[in-house]
Amino acid sequence: MTLAQRALERLQDWPDLTAGPASCGTGRALRSARAEIVHFHSDRDVDLHLTRRAIQRFHYDLGGSSAIHLVPGSRWVTVHLDCDADVDLLMSLVSIALKAHQTGPAGEPPTGCNFHRVTVLSRDGALEG
């Protein structure tokens, strides 16, 4: 079982999330009553939907993680799952995303996820060469 499959199985048990196809057309999504929260695009790459306020609040923490990739202007962050700690990080970020979408402004228009906007290099590959 891949790390993304393990994360998807764990998150599907959360009562506030419902599974379905990703609106971008690639992979599976989990959504809350108000928004799509997470897209599982591959065995390792996941896009997580945060509010603008949440990204601003955690910008430095998110940018400090080698598992997280931010796209300027996007309310989605890409999480690259290389190890169990990355899955744990994703679980924490999904919790933050759920809370942000429950308490944040409902008027933010939907935006496309980062699929095809982010190229993630494996950490192992970055150490080579």
Side-chain angles (χ1 to χ4, degrees), residues 39-95:
H39 288 181
F40 290 85
H41 294 301
S42 71
D43 291 343
R44 294 185 180 265
D45 296 316
V46 178
D47 279 341
L48 176 74
H49 187 199
L50 291 169
T51 60
R52 188 177 320 278
R53 177 185 249 178
I55 289 175
Q56 289 171 343
R57 181 173 180 197
F58 295 106
H59 184 267
Y60 291 108
D61 297 313
L62 295 171
S65 170
S66 61
I68 303 291
H69 302 277
L70 300 171
V71 174
S74 177
R75 290 192 305 260
W76 292 80
V77 298
T78 300
V79 182
H80 186 71
L81 305 174
D82 270 335
C83 61
D84 290 334
D86 295 339
V87 174
D88 293 339
L89 173 62
L90 176 65
M91 297 295 132
S92 297
L93 291 173
V94 169
S95 181

